[in-house]
Amino acid sequence: MWLAVAGEVGLVMALGLCALRCWRQRQTTPALQWWLLVLAVALGFIAINAAVGALRYAGVTEVIPVHMQLTAVSVGWMMPLYLAAALRLWGKLPGSVWGLWLVLALLPAVSALPGLLRDAMLVLALLRLIQQTPVRLSLTLALALLLAVPLINLLPLPADAALGLFHLLLAGHFYAVYRVVPVLSAPRLAS
């Protein structure tokens, strides 16, 4: 499963870069400090999950239950928190609209509702960010890569290649976000 391991390592690197950039951006943009911290923590948690996943696919079977639990938390809580923080920072939404978005995005994690609702909210968040920022091309690429992830199931690939491609597409998404964080956090957009 070396392709799956390579995909996870790429994802760890992209998430680590993005989390580190958000962490460092806190010091240059004090007004946005709290939400950049939430963003960095959510991305860091997902990076830890990807690192454990790399161990899993490298053959360390003892980490399988831990990876399954971390994946559930990453998908159900951290991905919505990552985009909730991004929306709060750069989406220019009124507080009540943002709160409704957050509730709807987190609802599948605490109820029997399908994850499709969460996924739809994530797509809506990225569309809002694309609408509000001057870095539309990079965020459109981030959205396209995120939308391509479920399409992997339609490809006739072996499990190893499918997992590798899955994680590389996610890595591309987070690398695209990494590239736009400084532009989004610039004072003219942060106000």
Side-chain angles (χ1 to χ4, degrees):
M1 305 256 336
W2 68 272
L3 291 173
V5 172
E8 289 277 19
V9 169
L11 183 56
V12 169
M13 291 170 40
L15 284 162
L17 285 170
C18 198
L20 187 61
R21 179 161 279 174
C22 291
W23 182 264
R24 287 185 177 158
Q25 205 68 35
R26 284 178 40 249
Q27 294 145 353
T28 60
T29 320
L32 305 176
Q33 187 169 328
W34 168 250
W35 291 107
L36 285 165
L37 176 65
V38 170
L39 196 55
V41 168
L43 293 170
F45 188 93
I46 299 168
I48 290 168
N49 179 35
V52 173
L55 290 173
R56 173 188 179 175
Y57 298 124
V60 182
T61 57
E62 294 81 14
V63 301
I64 291 174
V66 174
H67 183 246
M68 298 300 286
Q69 290 176 338
L70 290 175
T71 298
V73 172
S74 291
V75 169
W77 293 92
M78 294 302 144
M79 281 296 286
L81 284 178
Y82 141 66
L83 282 169
L87 273 178
R88 197 67 181 156
L89 285 164
W90 308 300
K92 299 179 185 167
L93 289 176
S96 57
V97 173
W98 177 83
L100 178 63
W101 180 92
L102 183 60
V103 167
L104 290 174
L106 291 175
L107 207 52
V110 295
S111 70
L113 288 174
L116 189 59
L117 175 62
R118 176 198 55 244
D119 297 344
M121 298 310 294
L122 298 179
V123 169
L124 286 174
L126 283 168
L127 287 172
R128 176 64 180 183
L129 290 173
I130 291 168
Q131 178 187 28
Q132 290 295 315
T133 65
V135 284
R136 289 191 175 103
L137 183 60
S138 293
L139 285 175
T140 303
L141 175 63
L143 176 61
L145 289 168
L146 197 60
L147 289 173
V149 168
L151 297 178
I152 293 169
N153 295 327
L154 302 175
L155 299 175
L157 295 173
D160 183 33
L163 277 171
L165 184 57
F166 172 89
H167 291 107
L168 285 175
L169 287 172
L170 283 176
H173 164 80
F174 287 111
Y175 185 75
V177 171
Y178 160 79
R179 302 272 304 178
V180 301
V181 166
V183 176
L184 293 173
S185 295
R188 60 180 162 41
L189 291 173
S191 56

